[in-house]
Amino acid sequence: MFSPLYPFLWKRDSLFILDQRKLPFKKEYIKCSSYKDVIKCIKDMVVRGAPAIGVVSGYGMYLAVKNYKGNNLKEYLTKVANEFISCRPTAYNLSYVVNRIKNFSLEISKNKVDDKVLELVFKEVEEIREENKKMLQKVVENGLKLLKKNSCVLTHCNTGVLACGDIGSALGVIIEGYKNKKISFVFVDETRPYLQGARLTMLELLSAGIPCCMITDNMAGYVIKEKRINCIIVGADRIAKNGDTANKIGTYTLAVLAKYHKISFYVVAPSSSIDKDISTGKEIKIEQRDEDEVKYINGKPITLETAKVLHPAFDVTPAELITAIVTEEGIFKYPYNFK
Amino acid sequence: MFSPLYPFLWKRDSLFILDQRKLPFKKEYIKCSSYKDVIKCIKDMVVRGAPAIGVVSGYGMYLAVKNYKGNNLKEYLTKVANEFISCRPTAYNLSYVVNRIKNFSLEISKNKVDDKVLELVFKEVEEIREENKKMLQKVVENGLKLLKKNSCVLTHCNTGVLACGDIGSALGVIIEGYKNKKISFVFVDETRPYLQGARLTMLELLSAGIPCCMITDNMAGYVIKEKRINCIIVGADRIAKNGDTANKIGTYTLAVLAKYHKISFYVVAPSSSIDKDISTGKEIKIEQRDEDEVKYINGKPITLETAKVLHPAFDVTPAELITAIVTEEGIFKYPYNFK
């Protein structure tokens, strides 16, 4: 019914990023020939999802090195890296990848970018992409261990191929879980304001032929109470050392609902989401986005022009509400003590 | 800034119902000359909110009596009453008013509708409207007793003039509370799928000059945790004898959040919302509405055509999660024992 969706492709020395804002209605790729193009795509949410943003920013850093024309590579790449990091400040994979390519480039280049350097930097980016793929497979493998047979699950936002560039994290577990008869039904929060659940997760689940049903975010309590949800599975954008987890706005409310209904609440994410420089969620900077992203849907206003609106892109779920955090390194339980 | 909003007007022997689906962008009244017109408006959510639906259905019943041409008034009015009740099965005020006008009409008419009968039935409807007004004032008076000074509150859906035909229930308490310096700030859930919070409550609050901010429903947890919400105030569509309360979908999730954060959760509604024929919320029939009301916003789809969607219009909040239920008869606390 649907052709496979790749959130980005490298072709003819350019990065082509699938415009996820237009999904599921249109499939359009935006061509990025400079790192600025990539930054714009990340900022405008053409591409989103922590792991996908990570890999895409790797290609973006490569484009920055490729187009470098100055005489102080360190200063230049530091500036570029900061531009990347500040455009989605909550996602940790982004800064991980950007810093890795920056440091790698500086190490091998000795302030001079030639074809050999470019080749090695590109290889490093492809290596990151490959690591990302293998890592996600391991994440999913570990996640599957948590599921009982025929589970009915609830998920939020999109954590599939579109968010990860490969198999997916939380949604990867769900899709593989269905193939393994561990998942029988999936409820999907529409995930306001960007409707990633409605637009992207429903697309991925329907493409895979998995029985699913969309709900508005405020139906979660009703559905958990009435429809025998076994567990909630979500991704993560940044995890503090103590396990406090920043994820798409609405995740915290789900975690409270899970606690109240005594069902499991699982976070599934690559270990590169764990920020070991911060001890608790209090230190996670929550990105506040534009009001208009809430006030307009499909270009039309939903409230008065004069209305004030809040738009935190993420919220932080305290570690004690999370039953388990799954990474490629294993299954961790509260109190969290990551390797 | 905004002219006063009346959800309905009686003029030239017709009922004019404000089309709330077009608010806050357009102010259009739909003329109803027959009870069928009124039923269509209730069904299509031109008018909504339990008390407003109650009064409007009173006028609708009058129109039914006025246009009666048969020879079995009892059979006819029973059929009409059932049509009204089944078009929004969860709201209790509706059946209360409809049955009252039905019984009143049968009692005074002796199967014959003349001008005298019509005059008395119309008076009874106006009496219901007057009672509704006085009752709401008393509801608000009682609600105000619960508020501490300078409270920051969160509300859901719309429970103001538009929902009630007068002063409002939960939103009435908030608006009067602001005038009395008991409310300092209001957070408003947008309230998917119909966006009554975004469209109607924001309109009423901004018209009254009250400091407020809209959030998507899934931000409620974040806002309660981060923004020092003192209490949550909502309305009700039907209340069981034990206090279990059916209200707009999303209310139950808010009640769970309130419990977890140890803040008060108040239900404010006329006593005509209490259905003494049912002992618990399990007996409340939850209206399941059309999928397309969720799948389309402003006429445009938000998900795939093939996506399955759930659309319960209400959920039931168990009595033990409700700090107090306020009616015109007083402030009731758990365990509930209404007069």
Side-chain angles (χ1 to χ4, degrees):
Chain A
M1 170 157 59
F2 306 103
S3 55
L5 292 160
Y6 301 107
F8 49 83
L9 299 164
W10 182 262
K11 241 183 359 190
R12 300 188 304 272
D13 249 19
S14 293
L15 184 66
F16 290 80
I17 304 183
L18 179 61
D19 192 346
Q20 297 192 28
R21 299 167 305 179
K22 297 191 173 158
L23 289 176
F25 310 109
K26 273 182 195 165
K27 196 174 162 186
E28 277 176 25
Y29 282 83
I30 292 179
K31 184 181 173 180
C32 299
S33 313
S34 73
Y35 86 87
K36 293 261 186 204
D37 295 341
V38 178
I39 281 185
K40 190 163 166 34
C41 283
I42 295 175
K43 215 179 245 169
D44 296 347
M45 296 185 61
V46 170
V47 60
R48 25 63 55 199
I53 287 178
V55 179
V56 158
S57 64
Y59 285 105
M61 286 297 286
Y62 167 76
L63 286 170
V65 175
K66 184 169 163 278
N67 297 332
Y68 169 65
K69 290 211 172 58
N71 53 19
N72 189 335
L73 188 63
K74 191 176 176 182
E75 194 182 88
Y76 169 74
L77 284 185
T78 304
K79 188 184 128 278
V80 172
N82 288 338
E83 279 182 57
F84 269 104
I85 292 165
S86 67
C87 73
R88 295 300 310 272
T90 308
Y92 187 57
N93 311 58
L94 175 62
S95 61
Y96 165 81
V97 170
V98 163
N99 286 323
R100 176 162 155 188
I101 296 296
K102 182 186 91 177
N103 295 332
F104 179 83
S105 304
L106 292 177
E107 202 176 291
I108 62 160
S109 69
K110 291 163 191 147
N111 208 28
K112 202 179 155 292
V113 177
D114 55 21
D115 286 354
K116 186 68 199 160
V117 166
L118 276 179
E119 195 191 316
L120 287 172
V121 173
F122 191 77
K123 261 198 180 153
E124 185 71 5
V125 175
E126 297 268 273
E127 172 64 26
I128 287 174
R129 185 178 185 165
E130 197 52 37
E131 282 173 15
N132 181 60
K133 184 176 174 176
K134 281 189 188 140
M135 173 274 297
L136 287 167
Q137 271 157 349
K138 195 86 189 117
V139 167
V140 167
E141 222 170 83
N142 288 333
L144 284 175
K145 291 176 196 157
L146 288 169
L147 295 177
K148 298 195 182 84
K149 247 188 150 182
N150 287 321
S151 294
C152 175
V153 301
L154 172 67
T155 190
H156 190 65
C157 200
N158 173 265
T159 53
V161 175
L162 290 164
C164 297
D166 245 298
I167 193 167
S169 55
L171 194 59
V173 172
I174 291 171
I175 290 175
E176 290 303 307
Y178 178 75
K179 293 180 194 160
N180 289 280
K181 298 200 186 329
K182 292 195 152 190
I183 299 273
S184 60
F185 200 87
V186 189
F187 281 96
V188 179
D189 272 353
E190 64 176 7
T191 319
R192 280 278 291 143
Y194 254 94
L195 299 165
Q196 292 97 332
R199 297 186 300 103
L200 311 177
T201 300
M202 288 304 287
L203 174 62
E204 292 198 36
L205 287 172
L206 290 171
S207 303
I210 296 173
C212 58
C213 178
M214 190 187 88
I215 57 170
T216 60
D217 300 283
N218 61 17
M219 291 175 196
Y222 169 88
V223 161
I224 294 168
K225 190 164 153 238
E226 305 290 336
K227 305 284 177 182
R228 299 191 201 150
I229 301 278
N230 298 96
C231 63
I232 297 175
I233 311 182
V234 299
D237 287 81
R238 188 179 292 232
I239 302 172
K241 246 164 56 184
N242 74 337
D244 291 351
T245 295
N247 190 46
K248 181 53 56 201
I249 188 71
T251 303
Y252 172 61
T253 293
L254 293 178
V256 171
L257 284 170
K259 183 80 176 180
Y260 183 75
H261 290 90
K262 298 188 179 68
I263 62 169
S264 298
F265 184 85
Y266 299 129
V267 168
V268 180
S271 68
S272 58
S273 311
I274 302 168
D275 181 354
K276 289 184 178 156
D277 289 340
I278 57 171
S279 0
T280 78
K282 285 199 181 110
E283 296 167 59
I284 300 177
K285 185 181 172 183
I286 296 297
E287 177 187 358
Q288 301 289 333
R289 294 184 61 87
D290 197 307
E291 286 198 347
D292 284 354
E293 292 177 348
V294 175
K295 283 166 85 169
Y296 290 81
I297 300 178
N298 280 328
K300 282 193 181 176
I302 59 156
T303 187
L304 296 137
E305 196 47 56
T306 49
K308 277 203 181 125
V309 167
L310 218 64
H311 187 191
F314 306 96
D315 56 27
V316 175
T317 299
E320 62 266 29
L321 293 180
I322 304 168
T323 316
I325 296 178
V326 182
T327 75
E328 74 280 14
E329 288 169 356
I331 296 168
F332 301 87
K333 300 211 171 179
Y334 181 79
Y336 294 97
N337 188 10
F338 303 110
K339 273 175 278 183
Chain B
M1 171 156 62
F2 306 103
S3 55
L5 292 161
Y6 302 107
F8 50 82
L9 298 164
W10 181 262
K11 242 186 351 192
R12 298 188 304 274
D13 249 18
S14 292
L15 184 66
F16 290 80
I17 303 183
L18 178 62
D19 192 345
Q20 297 191 29
R21 298 167 307 178
K22 297 190 172 158
L23 289 176
F25 309 109
K26 274 184 196 165
K27 196 175 161 185
E28 278 176 24
Y29 284 83
I30 292 179
K31 184 181 172 180
C32 300
S33 314
S34 74
Y35 86 87
K36 292 260 187 205
D37 295 342
V38 178
I39 281 187
K40 189 162 166 34
C41 282
I42 295 174
K43 216 180 243 169
D44 295 349
M45 293 184 63
V46 171
V47 60
R48 22 67 53 201
I53 287 178
V55 179
V56 157
S57 64
Y59 285 105
M61 285 298 285
Y62 167 76
L63 286 170
V65 176
K66 185 168 163 277
N67 297 332
Y68 169 65
K69 293 214 170 58
N71 53 19
N72 189 333
L73 188 62
K74 191 175 176 183
E75 193 181 87
Y76 170 73
L77 284 185
T78 303
K79 187 185 127 277
V80 172
N82 287 338
E83 279 183 58
F84 269 103
I85 292 164
S86 68
C87 73
R88 293 303 306 275
T90 308
Y92 187 55
N93 311 57
L94 175 61
S95 60
Y96 165 80
V97 170
V98 162
N99 285 323
R100 177 163 154 187
I101 296 295
K102 181 185 93 178
N103 295 333
F104 179 84
S105 305
L106 293 177
E107 201 176 294
I108 61 160
S109 69
K110 292 165 191 146
N111 207 27
K112 200 178 155 293
V113 177
D114 55 23
D115 285 354
K116 186 68 201 159
V117 166
L118 276 180
E119 195 192 317
L120 287 171
V121 173
F122 191 75
K123 261 198 180 153
E124 185 72 3
V125 175
E126 296 269 273
E127 171 65 25
I128 287 173
R129 185 179 184 164
E130 195 54 36
E131 281 174 24
N132 182 60
K133 185 176 172 175
K134 282 190 188 137
M135 172 276 295
L136 287 167
Q137 271 157 351
K138 195 87 190 113
V139 167
V140 167
E141 223 169 84
N142 287 334
L144 284 174
K145 292 177 195 156
L146 287 169
L147 294 178
K148 297 196 183 82
K149 248 190 149 182
N150 287 321
S151 295
C152 174
V153 302
L154 171 67
T155 191
H156 190 65
C157 199
N158 173 265
T159 52
V161 175
L162 290 164
C164 297
D166 246 298
I167 192 168
S169 56
L171 194 59
V173 172
I174 290 171
I175 291 175
E176 289 304 305
Y178 178 74
K179 293 181 192 159
N180 289 281
K181 297 199 185 330
K182 292 195 152 192
I183 299 274
S184 61
F185 200 87
V186 189
F187 282 96
V188 179
D189 273 354
E190 64 176 8
T191 319
R192 280 278 291 143
Y194 254 94
L195 299 164
Q196 291 97 332
R199 298 186 299 102
L200 311 177
T201 301
M202 288 304 287
L203 174 62
E204 292 199 37
L205 288 171
L206 290 170
S207 302
I210 297 174
C212 58
C213 178
M214 189 186 89
I215 58 170
T216 60
D217 300 283
N218 62 18
M219 291 175 195
Y222 169 87
V223 161
I224 294 169
K225 190 165 153 235
E226 304 291 336
K227 304 284 176 184
R228 298 189 202 152
I229 301 277
N230 298 96
C231 62
I232 297 175
I233 311 183
V234 299
D237 288 80
R238 188 180 293 232
I239 302 172
K241 245 165 53 184
N242 74 337
D244 291 352
T245 295
N247 190 45
K248 181 54 55 202
I249 186 71
T251 303
Y252 171 62
T253 294
L254 293 178
V256 171
L257 285 169
K259 183 82 176 176
Y260 183 75
H261 289 90
K262 299 187 178 69
I263 62 170
S264 299
F265 184 85
Y266 299 129
V267 168
V268 179
S271 67
S272 58
S273 311
I274 302 168
D275 180 354
K276 291 186 176 154
D277 289 339
I278 57 170
S279 1
T280 78
K282 284 200 182 109
E283 296 167 59
I284 300 177
K285 185 181 173 184
I286 295 296
E287 177 187 359
Q288 301 289 333
R289 293 185 61 88
D290 198 307
E291 287 198 348
D292 285 353
E293 292 177 347
V294 174
K295 284 166 87 168
Y296 289 81
I297 301 178
N298 281 328
K300 282 191 179 178
I302 59 158
T303 187
L304 296 137
E305 196 47 58
T306 49
K308 276 204 182 125
V309 166
L310 218 62
H311 186 192
F314 306 95
D315 55 27
V316 175
T317 299
E320 61 267 28
L321 292 181
I322 304 170
T323 316
I325 296 178
V326 182
T327 75
E328 73 280 13
E329 289 170 357
I331 296 169
F332 300 88
K333 299 211 169 179
Y334 181 79
Y336 295 97
N337 188 10
F338 303 111
K339 274 175 278 184

